[in-house]
């Protein structure tokens, strides 16, 4: 089984990208994880889309389609989804055959604040309901006070968070297997 990770942050020292990297350390047996970097995705423009999807968008769509499941790590900006992540979702979801339909997706988020990106994750759930994705409901992973849980190199140092991520990945893998059956 292969999981595609997408971080909604472009920041070099992103806590959400670090959380995705931490997922690779707690994967269930037989599961692989790769990540897609959203920095090459242009701003959505319908005039461009009708002339053909840009190559980075084609790559994103292909990787989403090929993955058995997705893990999306989102920051929370102004109580909602970061623009870069929403932009990528908008590009990837354009016809024909948008790749989110029927896809198992788990959401995680890391933030210095106390709510652990809960509002951004709620907004992502709304977007993905429309796109007919199959969101993992539990366990939810909200990494609050995140700077204290990662070292200066972005390595997860908090055992409880690592356990949460591991449980989420087991549940996502089980969910993807059930949906396939």
């Amino acid at each position: 089984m292969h999981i595609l990770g997408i971080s909604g942050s472009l920041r070099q020292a992103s806590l959400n990208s670090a959380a995705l990297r931490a997922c690779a350390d707690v994967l269930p047996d037989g599961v692989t994880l790769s990540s897609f970097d959203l920095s090459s995705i242009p701003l959505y423009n319908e005039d461009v889309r009708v002339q053909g999807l840009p190559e980075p968008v084609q790559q994103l769509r292909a990787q989403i389609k090929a993955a058995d499941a997705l893990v999306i790590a989102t920051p929370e900006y102004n109580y909602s989804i970061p623009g870069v992540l929403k932009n990528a979702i908008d590009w990837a979801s354009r016809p024909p055959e948008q790749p989110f339909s029927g896809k198992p997706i788990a959401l995680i988020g890391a933030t210095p604040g106390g709510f652990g990106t809960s509002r951004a994750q709620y907004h992502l759930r709304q977007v993905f309901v429309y796109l007919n994705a199959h969101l993992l409901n539990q366990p939810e992973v909200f990494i609050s006070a995140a700077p204290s849980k990662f070292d200066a190199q972005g390595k997860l140092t908090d055992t409880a968070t690592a356990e949460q991520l591991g449980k989420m990945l087991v549940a996502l893998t089980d969910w993807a297997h059930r949906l396939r059956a």
Side-chain angles (χ1 to χ4, degrees):
M1 172 161 297
H2 179 70
I3 297 172
L4 177 65
I6 299 172
S7 173
S9 175
L10 301 180
R11 195 167 61 93
Q12 188 80 22
S14 164
L15 295 167
N16 285 282
S17 297
L20 272 181
R21 288 190 304 273
C23 286
D25 295 333
V26 293
L27 287 170
D29 289 339
V31 178
T32 60
L33 179 126
S34 64
S35 294
F36 188 91
D37 179 1
L38 296 180
S39 64
S40 63
I41 303 292
L43 290 175
Y44 183 80
N45 182 331
E46 181 67 10
D47 293 336
V48 172
R49 188 196 72 81
V50 297
Q51 294 178 12
L53 295 173
E55 183 61 31
V57 174
Q58 291 178 38
Q59 291 171 4
L60 174 61
R61 286 170 53 98
Q63 288 187 34
I64 292 168
K65 185 176 180 177
D68 297 300
L70 304 178
V71 173
I72 298 177
T74 184
E76 182 171 298
Y77 297 160
N78 299 320
Y79 281 31
S80 193
I81 306 162
V84 67
L85 181 56
K86 181 66 167 73
N87 180 63
I89 293 167
D90 289 344
W91 267 117
S93 66
R94 296 301 98 182
E97 300 176 26
Q98 66 92 355
F100 294 113
S101 185
K103 190 68 62 178
I105 300 175
L107 304 175
I108 65 174
T111 183
F115 290 109
T117 73
S118 58
R119 295 169 291 227
Q121 288 189 40
Y122 178 68
H123 287 174
L124 275 175
R125 287 181 179 280
Q126 293 172 317
V127 170
F128 283 122
V129 163
Y130 176 74
L131 296 174
N132 195 39
H134 296 296
L135 289 156
L136 180 69
N137 290 322
Q138 293 182 3
E140 295 177 305
V141 178
F142 305 112
I143 307 171
S144 58
S148 68
K149 297 175 181 172
F150 295 87
D151 67 18
Q153 289 73 44
K155 177 101 172 120
L156 181 63
T157 57
D158 184 68
T159 305
T161 301
E163 288 173 6
Q164 281 184 314
L165 290 171
K167 288 177 183 174
M168 180 272 303
L169 289 162
V170 167
L172 179 61
T173 302
D174 291 346
W175 181 232
H177 283 302
R178 284 192 313 224
L179 288 171
R180 252 196 247 160

